Amino acid sequence: VKASFSIVQDEEETFTGLITVISDVTEQEKVERERREFVSNVSHELRTPLTTMRSYLEALTDGAWEDKNLAPQFLEVTQNETERMIRLVNDLLQLSKMDHKESGMNVVQIDIIQLVNHILDRFEMNKLEHIGIRRKIPREEILVWIDPDKITQVIDNIMSNAIKYSPEGGKITLQVAKERNRIKISIQDQGLGIAREKVDKIFDRFYRVDKARSRELGGTGLGLAISKEIVEAHHGHIWASSIEGQGTTIYFTLPLVVRKRGGRS
Ligand code: ADP
């Protein structure tokens, strides 16, 4: 807490009062600390692929380019690292747009059931022999006002994580439940799970339970942070529940009732 005092005087400069302003600087400091952490994280995330690329390019320059076995391998590494940086920068740009509320949402009325089924069909097409997808989805039509591309991105993110962290032969269950004034979508996996004290942190920018593993699987650590921004831009909520060693469920909601602006429909 910061307190500042000002003395109030009348025209004859006699003391007539004292104004005390007490402001809560903890919030300001928190924002500033988060900003610093974010910049430091971004720098770190970019430096890692860059230094890897530099070593491999140096090795190539020093003669590895002539080695028919090594050269393609080294080039592949630099290519993968480049791809990672592109993904990271794209994610950062999207977060920055959402921060400035210029997310460019294209909201339309659409049947969420059809959208979800369509997304799952696509996942099933992409050879997932080692994982089964179970659908608990109502057969009715449920209309919602959403940006379909953005909600597709949320489901893609959560599904990709569920697949990434699932064991061989694991099942992923996607459930859509209609509640009183909202739709609740949950995606449950039978993967390694997340320790209780870490569950809520997975929606933070750059937070990963296992940094090395996430990197190995090509993650940027921003997927769930972006998903959270998108869901909240739709006036929904997103959260997770998990049991270590048993699996994780990610839930998110979307309102069924349209929020009217200005009171006119
Ligand atoms: P990443 O690119 O690392 O996957 P995300 O923002 O998508 O970034 O997820 C953040 C972290 O949350 C992951 O690194 C992982 O540790 C954890 N996580 C997310 N989904 C799951 C899941 N289904 N099972 C276990 N851990 C998960």
Side-chain angles (χ1 to χ4, degrees):
V1 175
K2 195 175 85 186
S4 56
F5 305 95
S6 324
I7 292 168
V8 185
Q9 295 168 314
D10 63 12
E11 281 123 62
E12 277 96 49
E13 299 197 349
T14 37
F15 176 83
T16 54
L18 188 68
I19 298 173
T20 311
V21 179
I22 297 175
S23 52
D24 185 356
V25 288
T26 45
E27 183 58 30
Q28 240 167 290
E29 273 169 8
K30 190 174 154 240
V31 169
E32 183 54 28
R33 193 179 58 236
E34 280 174 1
R35 196 193 60 80
R36 272 200 304 267
E37 266 170 27
F38 184 70
V39 172
S40 145
N41 276 330
V42 171
S43 315
H44 203 86
E45 293 293 332
L46 282 171
R47 195 177 59 183
T48 312
L50 282 170
T51 49
T52 308
M53 280 169 71
R54 183 174 60 192
S55 340
Y56 280 85
L57 288 172
E58 262 168 22
L60 282 163
T61 315
D62 288 348
W65 67 276
E66 283 177 309
D67 188 316
K68 280 203 166 56
N69 281 322
L70 281 182
Q73 283 177 43
F74 286 10
L75 284 170
E76 197 187 324
V77 173
T78 59
Q79 212 151 21
N80 287 340
E81 294 299 316
T82 310
E83 293 299 331
R84 175 201 300 287
M85 283 196 293
I86 292 174
R87 272 202 305 278
L88 178 66
V89 171
N90 282 338
D91 282 357
L92 285 169
L93 279 173
Q94 197 182 350
L95 271 176
S96 151
K97 273 190 198 157
M98 307 215 54
D99 281 347
H100 293 94
K101 307 273 180 263
E102 44 168 283
S103 49
M105 291 251 284
N106 290 313
V107 177
V108 294
Q109 194 177 33
I110 189 177
D111 176 14
I112 187 79
I113 300 299
Q114 202 188 347
L115 182 75
V116 169
N117 277 318
H118 177 76
I119 297 170
L120 292 183
D121 291 345
R122 178 160 50 73
F123 270 100
E124 279 177 339
M125 289 279 287
N126 292 338
K127 50 172 179 6
L128 293 170
E129 296 102 12
H130 63 296
I131 279 159
I133 299 180
R134 223 177 344 192
R135 308 183 192 204
K136 287 190 182 167
I137 302 176
R139 290 193 186 278
E140 57 182 316
E141 182 187 75
I142 303 175
L143 295 173
V144 286
W145 283 93
I146 55 165
D147 180 329
D149 289 343
K150 296 257 167 19
I151 293 300
T152 299
Q153 197 185 344
V154 172
I155 298 175
D156 273 349
N157 270 338
I158 303 173
M159 281 295 295
S160 310
N161 280 341
I163 292 166
K164 276 197 285 192
Y165 299 105
S166 272
E168 197 89 6
K171 278 198 182 62
I172 296 172
T173 309
L174 188 149
Q175 181 168 17
V176 179
K178 192 175 175 180
E179 297 183 344
R180 204 166 56 85
N181 53 4
R182 63 181 197 179
I183 285 288
K184 186 163 92 185
I185 297 179
S186 62
I187 295 167
Q188 179 179 37
D189 67 53
Q190 301 174 324
L192 73 174
I194 304 161
R196 184 197 295 266
E197 69 277 9
K198 294 177 179 157
V199 176
D200 292 334
K201 296 206 183 112
I202 62 172
F203 300 98
D204 292 351
R205 296 173 183 193
F206 293 118
Y207 184 83
R208 290 116 146 190
V209 175
D210 181 342
K211 259 210 158 77
R213 181 166 182 153
S214 160
R215 269 185 64 78
E216 208 176 291
L217 297 169
T220 63
L222 293 174
L224 287 178
I226 291 175
S227 301
K228 185 174 174 187
E229 295 278 347
I230 295 175
V231 169
E232 288 177 355
H234 283 84
H235 306 285
H237 299 289
I238 187 165
W239 70 98
S241 79
S242 186
I243 300 175
E244 235 181 332
Q246 284 188 30
T248 303
T249 309
I250 309 282
Y251 302 86
F252 72 93
T253 60
L254 293 169
L256 273 173
V257 193
V258 194
R259 290 180 185 219
K260 289 179 194 146
R261 292 211 180 141
R264 287 178 58 158
S265 53

